[in-house]
């Protein structure tokens, strides 16, 4: 088991990967540096090897697939994940590592949005998207994460080995955050500097397509982790629709004793039944979610014993 592992997912980062590796070595000289090459068509892997990093490959395209591979293969007391595009200075890495090793942090978030991100980033829709995602997650899950989409984080062994990677692409950062929040894992924020990509280095993000994937991921994870709240919203919407169309029918019946719109009445009844079903679906799934939390805590205890055994070897 490594003490510190620096994990760098890469796709066509030949212009910046050498500097990122050198900066990582300077900031964390005791760390083992892993570069995971994701089908790069340039010299990323060759340069990383020349700089002394351990280079491995993930052939399924997408950042989520790369992170799944990294988390499966690497055992370490603390993991530092940083993008290979040189947008995150490594100066804050020692502080992030210290929080994991000595202050029980499970995930340390490199907070760009509280420093230079809005000045450095030249894509206004990315700024809007970051704020929208951050506000949505903090509201839905009752937390205070300052930067949801950052690619600079540190993790504990327990987080990495219990995190089920489901996303394939850039929505993985959102999934990480919600996993930590829902399972009551300790999250700390460290304000970091951010710099835009150097000239000649191109972003792999598609503002609109990846933005929609992130929003879909939030909705899906809210359904999975907070099923009562999710289905309660549907239940209330359906109930309001039913009542809206039912009130005129009932009013007409009280006034004349007649029901002139039987088809509308029947549809309203079915919509109200759907509302009741949604409510009880939320209750049942919420109970199952509580049981999943219990199993997760037991899994954490087993991982802790496994880690202590590995450290004694």
């Amino acid at each position: 088991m490594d003490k510190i592992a620096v994990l760098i997912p890469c796709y066509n980062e030949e212009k910046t990967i050498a500097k990122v590796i050198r900066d990582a070595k300077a900031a964390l000289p005791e760390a083992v540096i892993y570069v995971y090459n994701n089908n790069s068509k340039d010299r990323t892997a060759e340069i990383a090897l020349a700089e002394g990093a351990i280079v491995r490959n993930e052939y399924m395209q997408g950042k989520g697939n790369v992170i799944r591979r990294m988390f499966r293969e690497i055992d370490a007391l603390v993991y530092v994940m940083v993008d290979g595009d040189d947008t995150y200075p490594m100066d804050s890495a020692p502080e992030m590592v210290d929080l994991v090793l000595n202050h029980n942090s499970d995930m340390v978030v490199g907070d760009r949005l509280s420093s230079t991100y809005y000045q450095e980033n030249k894509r206004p829709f990315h700024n809007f998207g970051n704020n929208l995602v951050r506000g949505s997650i903090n509201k839905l899950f009752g937390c205070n994460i300052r930067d949801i989409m950052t690619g600079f984080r540190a993790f504990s062994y327990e987080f990495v080995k219990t995190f089920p990677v489901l996303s394939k692409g850039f929505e993985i950062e959102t999934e990480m955050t919600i996993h930590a929040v829902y399972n009551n894992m300790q999250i700390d924020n460290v304000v970091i500097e951010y710099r835009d990509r150097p000239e000649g280095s191109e972003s792999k993000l598609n503002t609109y397509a990846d933005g929609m994937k992130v929003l879909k991921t939030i909705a899906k994870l809210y359904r999975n982790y907070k099923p009562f709240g999710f289905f309660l919203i549907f239940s209330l919407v359906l109930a309001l629709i039913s009542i809206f169309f039912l009130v005129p029918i009932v009013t007409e019946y009280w006034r004349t004793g007649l029901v002139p719109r039987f088809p509308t009445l029947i549809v309203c009844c079915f919509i109200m039944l759907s509302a009741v079903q949604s409510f009880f679906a939320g209750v049942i799934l919420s109970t199952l979610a509580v049981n999943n939390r219990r199993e997760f805590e037991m899994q954490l205890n087993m991982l802790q014993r496994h880690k202590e055994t590995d450290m004694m070897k």
Side-chain angles (χ1 to χ4, degrees):
M1 179 180 288
D2 301 325
K3 181 180 180 182
I4 303 171
V6 176
L7 308 179
I8 310 175
C10 280
Y11 173 62
N12 292 342
E13 300 290 3
E14 67 175 4
K15 294 185 179 298
T16 55
I17 187 60
K19 184 175 184 304
V20 173
I21 293 171
R22 291 184 202 129
D23 289 349
K25 286 181 177 179
L28 300 168
E30 70 273 42
V32 181
I33 300 173
Y34 297 88
V35 171
Y36 272 74
N37 179 42
N38 192 207
N39 301 314
S40 295
K41 297 175 177 61
D42 59 11
R43 297 175 58 247
T44 296
E46 178 185 339
I47 294 171
L49 277 172
E51 291 293 333
I54 298 173
V55 177
R56 296 181 179 178
N57 292 290
E58 170 54 51
Y59 299 103
M60 296 174 63
Q61 197 65 40
K63 189 174 183 179
N65 291 322
V66 178
I67 290 173
R68 181 189 296 111
R69 180 69 59 188
M70 292 191 301
F71 284 5
R72 283 179 183 173
E73 294 183 349
I74 307 302
D75 290 332
L77 293 180
V78 56
Y79 302 75
V80 177
M81 185 182 75
V82 63
D83 291 341
D85 56 9
D86 194 33
T87 56
Y88 303 102
M90 292 294 292
D91 301 345
S92 301
E95 180 183 357
M96 298 168 76
V97 167
D98 180 68
L99 285 169
V100 175
L101 289 178
N102 301 314
H103 297 273
N104 300 327
S105 293
D106 288 297
M107 181 172 72
V108 183
V109 176
D111 174 19
R112 312 160 296 166
L113 304 186
S114 298
S115 62
T116 56
Y117 182 79
Y118 295 110
Q119 291 77 37
E120 289 286 326
N121 184 42
K122 306 300 189 298
R123 295 156 291 187
F125 282 107
H126 283 209
N127 298 340
F128 172 77
N130 272 288
N131 289 331
L132 177 62
V133 171
R134 178 177 60 175
S136 299
I137 290 179
N138 286 339
K139 186 70 174 178
L140 290 172
F141 290 88
C143 56
N144 183 30
I145 309 299
R146 298 175 193 163
D147 191 348
I148 304 296
M149 307 296 294
T150 180
F152 190 19
R153 300 171 189 246
F155 307 103
S156 68
Y157 176 83
E158 289 79 7
F159 177 93
V160 165
K161 297 306 179 182
T162 60
F163 174 52
V165 181
L166 302 177
S167 300
K168 298 178 181 179
F170 284 96
E171 62 271 29
I172 185 67
E173 282 98 354
T174 304
E175 191 176 340
M176 287 177 175
T177 303
I178 293 175
H179 173 76
V181 169
Y182 176 75
N183 288 298
N184 197 32
M185 305 183 90
Q186 182 174 323
I187 304 172
D188 287 298
N189 296 283
V190 171
V191 177
I192 63 170
E193 297 296 314
Y194 175 85
R195 55 196 176 211
D196 206 2
R197 281 174 171 268
E199 187 176 351
S201 176
E202 297 182 2
S203 173
K204 316 305 183 300
L205 282 171
N206 183 304
T207 302
Y208 302 104
D210 288 319
M212 286 304 300
K213 288 179 184 177
V214 169
L215 294 177
K216 288 178 182 178
T217 298
I218 293 173
K220 179 182 69 177
L221 293 175
Y222 186 64
R223 180 197 64 196
N224 294 341
Y225 287 127
K226 298 278 190 177
F228 182 73
F230 182 86
F231 285 98
L232 181 62
I233 293 172
F234 276 94
S235 179
L236 291 174
V237 170
L238 291 171
L240 289 173
I241 292 173
S242 176
I243 292 170
F244 178 80
F245 288 101
L246 187 62
V247 166
I249 297 174
V250 174
T251 302
E252 182 72 14
Y253 175 75
W254 283 343
R255 189 171 63 85
T256 65
L258 300 174
V259 181
R261 289 178 290 173
F262 267 107
T264 303
L265 176 63
I266 293 170
V267 171
C268 287
C269 292
F270 276 111
I271 292 175
M272 185 58 73
L273 282 173
S274 299
V276 173
Q277 287 179 326
S278 294
F279 176 80
F280 282 106
V283 172
I284 294 168
L285 292 173
S286 181
T287 302
L288 294 176
V290 171
N291 289 333
N292 289 338
R293 283 287 304 278
R294 293 193 183 101
E295 292 177 5
F296 177 81
E297 292 299 325
M298 295 300 295
Q299 186 181 3
L300 275 182
N301 292 336
M302 293 174 63
L303 273 174
Q304 182 66 32
R305 290 195 292 270
H306 176 70
K307 183 175 76 170
E308 291 171 356
T309 302
D310 281 354
M311 290 173 64
M312 289 187 292
K313 288 180 181 179

